[in-house]
Amino acid sequence: MAFDDRPPPFPRHAVVAYDQRKPPAMSKGKILVVDDDRLVLATVTHGLAKAGYEIIDADNGDDAILLARQHRPDLALLDIRMEGMSGFDVAAYLRESLQTPFMFLSAFADDATVAQVKALGAVAYLVKPLDIAQIVPTVEAALATARARRASAPTPAPPVAPEHIRPDPFAPTSGFGALHEPSASPVTA
């Protein structure tokens, strides 16, 4: 590896932009990368940043959740087995609380792990060791899939308050009285 090709040393929990002169609008997307192996983390973040992605990195699950809440990534790339909170725990939080799509990058490919990856709804699962040239196309495909799902998801209709319903004058005075139809009321207006 030539001197200029080495990944730069990243501080813990860094938001990384490979080329600081590139405007943020030119980013292909925001990716959260989580791995407790600092060499893997530096290599993946460097490769994805070089490919045009805005990178947020964490070396543990707790920091990953904090950073995801703060930066709202388009996709998370998670190691599975880490000290403390596992990648499965982070994935469940991202799915339930932030609706962030995620993929796994792990050295484990046993049947139980693969079953749990599927059950959590990962958009992809890559088995280590692998090269950044294998990761980038998978990330691009996962982002395209996630964006297509968001675009085709129905937008919820705003709640409509019926005008013909009024508070029940005979309900207890807790402030949350029952609602009823005016025509069913024993008292006419």
Side-chain angles (χ1 to χ4, degrees):
M1 182 181 326
F3 179 75
D4 293 330
D5 291 336
R6 285 187 294 172
F10 296 114
R12 201 168 162 208
H13 341 298
V15 175
V16 178
Y18 181 73
D19 184 352
Q20 297 294 336
R21 296 166 294 178
K22 186 186 294 185
M26 305 243 345
S27 171
K28 291 181 177 180
K30 192 183 302 183
I31 311 291
L32 171 64
V33 180
V34 186
D35 200 309
D36 59 345
D37 181 327
R38 300 291 287 158
L39 181 59
V40 171
L41 185 64
T43 302
V44 172
T45 57
H46 176 75
L48 289 173
K50 196 171 181 180
Y53 294 96
E54 180 182 349
I55 304 299
I56 306 147
D57 74 326
D59 62 1
N60 65 72
D62 293 318
D63 289 343
I65 287 176
L66 292 173
L67 289 168
R69 288 173 58 191
Q70 180 181 3
H71 296 283
R72 302 293 177 156
D74 300 311
L75 178 70
L77 188 66
L78 309 170
D79 184 21
I80 293 176
R81 300 204 175 129
M82 300 181 285
E83 286 289 322
M85 187 177 282
S86 74
F88 291 144
D89 298 330
V90 175
Y93 177 85
L94 293 175
R95 182 191 66 211
E96 298 300 322
S97 299
L98 303 177
Q99 293 75 48
T100 300
F102 53 89
M103 56 188 283
F104 290 107
L105 177 64
S106 180
F108 300 95
D110 57 277
D111 291 341
T113 301
V114 173
Q116 193 162 3
V117 165
K118 288 179 182 177
L120 283 166
V123 294
Y125 181 52
L126 297 172
V127 180
K128 297 176 191 175
L130 41 88
D131 188 74
I132 193 69
Q134 295 168 302
I135 297 172
V136 171
T138 306
V139 166
E140 288 173 352
L143 275 174
T145 300
R147 287 176 178 150
R149 284 182 188 164
R150 276 193 209 129
S152 66
T155 54
V160 177
E163 295 177 15
H164 66 277
I165 296 178
R166 61 183 173 86
D168 185 348
F170 301 106
T173 58
S174 65
F176 297 102
L179 298 178
H180 71 281
E181 299 288 331
S183 60
S185 173
V187 177
T188 58

